[in-house]
Amino acid sequence: MNTPLSEHGSTFRGALTGLLGIGTYLPSRQITNEMICERIDRSDEWIRSRSGIRFRYWAEPTETVEFMAATAAERALEHAGIAASEVGCVIVSTVSHLHQFPSLAAGVAHRIGAATPGAFDISAGCAGFSYGLSLASDMVAAGSARYVLVIAVERLSELLDHEDSGTAFLFGDGAGAAVVGPCDQPGVGPVVWGSDGSHKETIRQSHSWAALRDAPAPEWPVITMDGREVFRWAAYQLGPIAARTLEQAGVTVRDLDSFIPHQANMRIIDELVKELGIPDHVAVARSVEIHGNTSAVSIPLAIQELLASGQARPGGLALLLSFGTGLVWGGQVVRLPPAPTGPPVQATTAPAHPTKEN
């Protein structure tokens, strides 16, 4: 277990807000490395050695982004003991909602019965959960809403070139949600976030949806990525970002109960652990092995995984750290929510009928 803050002379600085509940959704179709290798000239060993990934989950056609997001949101509300009617705002992070408007958040709010909350989508790629969490905490602290739902959801399998050996094996689908509300002690530290548009081509959509309008035989836009450049950027930039995040929160790595970085690549995670000097008592999220890279969904999935397994404790301090397309990044220290009833579990079946939204 973590050593109390007082023994180190540290004081966690943050808003009187916190994560009250967590909920996730994993699609019904598990995809192994062997299944991926049927379409790319690679092996299971090659994939695991470069990414740490063994399998991921892809959504069936009826597992739409609205369905997955709403299911995760309902589970988070149940975990927090908060009624949907009490939610004052719904924030959804996604890059795979294929309708420009209306917002996915508005549809999710209606679907879960959340009366008439504020509702909007954000596009911050893999850093979206950290961005949404910061916005939610600020809303609650300012009195703009008492409870805010932060949801991350992706169907990245729909945006993959399944014959691209650089990306086909990386990404998974799913949803994760958290309820943010008032607390009697600091629960969400200051966000350290930013962007560097000079690297915007490193992770991007191959071409605009507008290209589909005029092309006689249009190609579907897909994820394209310069993996080496992304790895190089992460190796040099994430350590200092994490250090600033800890400094802003007034804590050190020894005060942490867990370290929960974006689950992009096991090698990146291991390098960060070394660079930051993460002590042995700190649980480190490595769920990329079983979920793949689920973009912004990876952090709520990892939070639930660590809490359910007992590796991290409710109320313990966790360093969240994420980065993604833009390039953008975000990090904050948070107190973890109560322990969930179990880890993220694959859906046994997909819905029988799709909704109209996707």
Side-chain angles (χ1 to χ4, degrees), residues 31-331:
I31 305 297
T32 65
N33 287 345
E34 289 81 4
M35 295 164 71
I36 298 288
C37 293
E38 291 175 3
R39 301 184 67 172
I40 62 173
D41 185 21
R42 295 291 185 266
S43 67
D44 168 63
E45 182 182 3
W46 184 91
I47 292 173
R48 285 188 287 112
S49 67
R50 283 157 178 78
S51 66
I53 298 171
R54 291 195 295 124
F55 45 81
R56 71 293 291 149
Y57 296 87
W58 287 354
E60 295 285 3
T62 55
E63 292 174 299
T64 64
V65 288
E66 184 179 296
F67 169 79
M68 292 192 293
T71 303
E74 288 169 345
R75 291 172 177 173
L77 288 167
E78 181 179 5
H79 185 217
I82 301 297
S85 59
E86 298 178 82
V87 173
C89 189
V90 177
I91 303 171
V92 175
S93 171
T94 185
V95 297
S96 52
H97 180 227
L98 303 184
H99 290 272
Q100 191 71 32
F101 56 88
S103 72
L104 179 58
V108 170
H110 174 71
R111 186 165 184 147
I112 66 175
T116 57
F120 60 93
D121 298 348
I122 59 175
S123 178
C126 303
F129 185 77
S130 289
Y131 274 48
L133 181 57
S134 175
L135 294 172
S137 177
D138 288 352
M139 286 181 195
V140 174
S144 300
R146 183 164 179 81
Y147 300 110
V148 179
L149 261 174
V150 180
I151 307 168
V153 61
E154 297 295 0
R155 271 178 43 139
L156 297 175
S157 59
E158 195 168 18
L159 297 173
L160 287 177
D161 177 350
H162 293 281
E163 297 181 353
D164 178 5
S165 61
T167 59
F169 63 91
L170 285 173
F171 297 100
D173 301 340
V179 179
V180 179
C183 288
D184 58 6
Q185 62 178 334
V188 179
V191 68
V192 173
W193 57 8
S195 65
D196 184 352
S198 68
H199 293 281
K200 67 180 183 179
E201 298 298 312
T202 56
I203 311 172
R204 61 184 176 85
Q205 185 172 306
S206 57
H207 50 273
S208 164
W209 297 111
L212 301 182
R213 180 176 53 215
D214 302 319
E219 293 184 1
W220 186 253
V222 295
I223 299 169
T224 183
M225 184 173 70
D226 183 341
R228 290 183 180 179
E229 181 60 27
V230 173
F231 189 92
R232 187 180 300 114
W233 183 92
Y236 284 100
Q237 300 299 327
L238 286 179
I241 291 168
R244 290 200 301 273
T245 302
L246 292 168
E247 181 181 2
Q248 288 290 319
V251 300
T252 72
V253 290
R254 293 209 55 81
D255 299 319
L256 297 176
D257 181 68
S258 55
F259 174 41
I260 307 177
H262 167 47
Q263 301 295 293
N265 184 297
M266 194 74 78
R267 292 163 62 194
I268 293 176
I269 295 169
D270 291 341
E271 286 297 322
L272 280 169
V273 168
K274 292 177 183 177
E275 181 177 355
L276 295 173
I278 299 294
D280 291 341
H281 75 266
V282 177
V284 178
R286 290 188 170 91
S287 58
V288 64
E289 178 183 9
I290 55 175
H291 300 147
N293 180 344
T294 54
S295 187
V297 184
S298 76
I299 284 183
L301 278 173
I303 289 174
Q304 183 171 340
E305 187 79 32
L306 286 181
L307 285 171
S309 68
Q311 295 177 70
R313 62 184 174 89
L317 294 183
L319 169 61
L320 312 184
L321 184 67
S322 55
F323 69 100
T325 178
L327 287 168
V328 301
W329 59 86

